[in-house]
Amino acid sequence: MFRFMRKPYVLNLLCLFVLALVPLAGLPQSSAVLPTVMTVSAPMRDGVKLQGDVFLPAQPGRYPVILELTPYGRGEDGINYRSDAPYWTQRGYAMALFDTRGQGGSGGSFRFMADGEDGADLVEWLARQPWSSGAVGMLGSSYTGTNQWHTAKERPPALKCITPAAAWRHPFQSTPYPGGALLFRWALTWPALLSDAKVDRSKRPDWVALLQHQPLSSADLFTFGNPLRLYQELLAHPTFDDYWRSRVLTPLDFKGITIPALMFTGYLDELHPDTVANFQALQRHSPARGSRYLVIGPWEHATVVDAGLDYRESYRPARQVRNLNLPDQAFLNSKDIYGRFFDWCLKGGSRFEQAPVRIYLTGSNRWLDLPTYPPPAAHDKMLYLTSAGHANGLSGDGRLSWQAPDAHQPPDRYVFDPLQPGIRPNGGADMVDLRNELERLDVLVYVTEPLAQPLTVAGNVRLELFAATDGRDTDWAARLEDVAPDGSAMRIGVGPAALVRARYRQGFARETLLTPNKQYTYSLDFHEVGHTFLRGHRLRLSLSSAAYPWVYPNPNTGNPLATDTAPPRKARQTIFHHRQAPSRLRLPILAEP
């Protein structure tokens, strides 16, 4: 989830969902006048000093300030917007790029996702400088987008607007514990990118070996030769406790955020559910109206902030996303959008004109302008799981039906072995066409008949699952695909799977183990989907219990995950789909005009 560093060894460390965000497109030509640069130190309320670089227009004056606060280093090889500085100074802004506490040149110790007070102090310090007009806006994405929310909740008077692209809303249940399962690939690799991590970053995780390694708490030592402070910190908080509560904005916080906010995300951005939730929290709690903007495109985390453009390819459109080939209309002029927004809220220019919500529909390849989100016209429709008890693999008898099941359907069963996860260890979690992975007896497959008419899904998609296991704990993982008439398929939804860890079925604040072989109800969240299944296409749902190395497989023991050294056990899994236990997909359907 965090913008790319430019060094090759760091690129090799990062995985798809840890993709670091990138500078905006449309950089000035080499003949442009370069800004004046100065390095400064800003004192915080506790005496710690944050170090930063300030870029000023060539002409002396007082300018509005655009601030980014980053934990990745503010240098040319860091993860930051430094290369944007000439664009913004030529447009009449000062740009300030600061290291967060404990990173780069800043003092103090790094505090994961707890930069609000520092951000507020920094905003007010920037507003007092002789080259500042007193108006400050913030720029950033992912972690540096999240910093904006935490700064805004402190209500510094000089902060006039924010642009938090791809930002967190729910630490813990989105990252690093989606559905309660450890986001292993991120938790092990991202802390190694921080400047205070004393590790050899050229070392790469051996996912095959790590699958056999115990305990999980020493996976950082096994991989890098030294422990990672943040990795250990995350493992120490496997439930939604006070550590995580202090990092979540409350309804009261959003009530106090009355400044304009512009949010970009993408359906393939792992933080898009959080970005949408932030927008909805403002709509629900903030008294201010008419100054919240949300854009959801067909983009990945790396290209969200540039509205689909890829800095790694000289800011050309990233047309190939998974196995989507995006047309011209899928990309927006992000520079113009950000520029008009900042001109309005920082310079008092003409009002920013844009629909409150813009969403893109893959499949039909069109944009929709909406007054709010989810689309008011969407309505839920159910697709029911059905079979004769043999839905295992592609050749099984699993079907998805618009009709509710009868009372006598037999359940489907499979055996989940944590040492043989349903997705191959080396990168398989990022596969887009899963056919090769669905010919397994430990994967259940359900598919519709070919559609007679296009079907547009716009909103939150959920799987309501009735299931049992013979253990005290296990995982349930689901994948949704669009299957074309030629048999090729495209995975729908963010992340490798919708997943839930059974011990968190009653919420993330506490762990409640299962009674073996007892039927429970689970909710698996595919999050926000904007897609048109075309005529002749089919919907395909697959169910298993693993998505490694995206998440660490459940050992099915019920023991604490970090310290468990007991042998992983095979679990016998049962999926019910009869009248009293109607396992089903809940689809928000948007009627075609």
Side-chain angles (χ1 to χ4, degrees), residues 3 22-24 68 80-85 95 139-141 305:
R3 301 171 61 195
V22 296
L24 295 174
E68 184 188 19
N80 56 57
Y81 290 91
R82 190 181 191 93
S83 57
D84 276 3
M95 184 171 179
L139 181 68
S141 199
V305 74

Side-chain angles (χ1 to χ4, degrees), residues 32 99 183 229 244 352 360 376 507 574:
D99 293 320
L183 199 60
R229 182 181 64 82
W244 297 108
F352 179 68
Y360 187 88
T574 304

Side-chain angles (χ1 to χ4, degrees), residues 480-543:
L480 180 63
E481 296 174 277
D482 179 338
V483 183
D486 65 1
S488 63
M490 179 182 71
R491 182 163 49 82
I492 303 298
V494 65
L499 187 140
V500 65
R501 179 148 292 179
R503 68 176 69 186
Y504 295 103
R505 68 195 179 280
Q506 295 178 343
F508 298 111
R510 61 191 178 98
E511 300 171 278
T512 307
L513 297 181
L514 304 171
T515 299
N517 299 312
K518 180 180 178 180
Q519 176 185 298
Y520 293 94
T521 305
Y522 301 91
S523 179
L524 282 72
D525 197 346
F526 288 94
H527 301 297
E528 309 307 318
V529 170
H531 181 74
T532 300
F533 295 86
L534 300 177
R535 180 180 178 182
H537 287 227
R538 293 175 293 160
L539 284 74
R540 184 164 68 200
L541 177 76
S542 57
L543 277 171

Side-chain angles (χ1 to χ4, degrees), residues 416-565:
F416 164 48
D417 182 353
L419 297 180
Q420 299 291 328
I423 289 294
R424 291 181 182 137
N426 284 318
D430 294 335
M431 293 172 62
V432 290
D433 188 333
L434 300 173
R435 279 176 291 182
N436 291 336
E437 295 300 317
L438 300 185
E439 289 290 8
R440 297 173 53 121
L441 294 180
D442 59 355
V443 179
L444 305 179
V445 181
Y446 305 87
V447 63
T448 66
E449 294 297 321
L451 296 174
Q453 298 293 335
L455 180 73
T456 295
V457 177
N460 184 251
V461 175
R462 288 182 177 271
L463 173 63
E464 298 170 3
L465 189 67
F466 294 82
T469 182
D470 67 351
R472 303 298 307 282
D473 189 30
T474 196
D475 288 351
W476 307 105
R479 297 166 182 85
L480 180 63
E481 296 174 277
D482 179 338
V483 183
D486 65 1
S488 63
M490 179 182 71
R491 182 163 49 82
I492 303 298
V494 65
L499 187 140
V500 65
R501 179 148 292 179
R503 68 176 69 186
Y504 295 103
R505 68 195 179 280
Q506 295 178 343
F508 298 111
R510 61 191 178 98
E511 300 171 278
T512 307
L513 297 181
L514 304 171
T515 299
N517 299 312
K518 180 180 178 180
Q519 176 185 298
Y520 293 94
T521 305
Y522 301 91
S523 179
L524 282 72
D525 197 346
F526 288 94
H527 301 297
E528 309 307 318
V529 170
H531 181 74
T532 300
F533 295 86
L534 300 177
R535 180 180 178 182
H537 287 227
R538 293 175 293 160
L539 284 74
R540 184 164 68 200
L541 177 76
S542 57
L543 277 171
S544 66
S545 293
Y548 183 76
W550 182 61
V551 298
Y552 192 79
N554 196 319
N556 301 322
T557 62
N559 297 331
L561 183 68
T563 58
D564 193 5
T565 57

Side-chain angles (χ1 to χ4, degrees), residues 96-110:
L97 180 59
F98 274 78
D99 293 320
T100 57
R101 177 182 293 251
Q103 302 295 331
S106 293
S109 298
F110 179 67

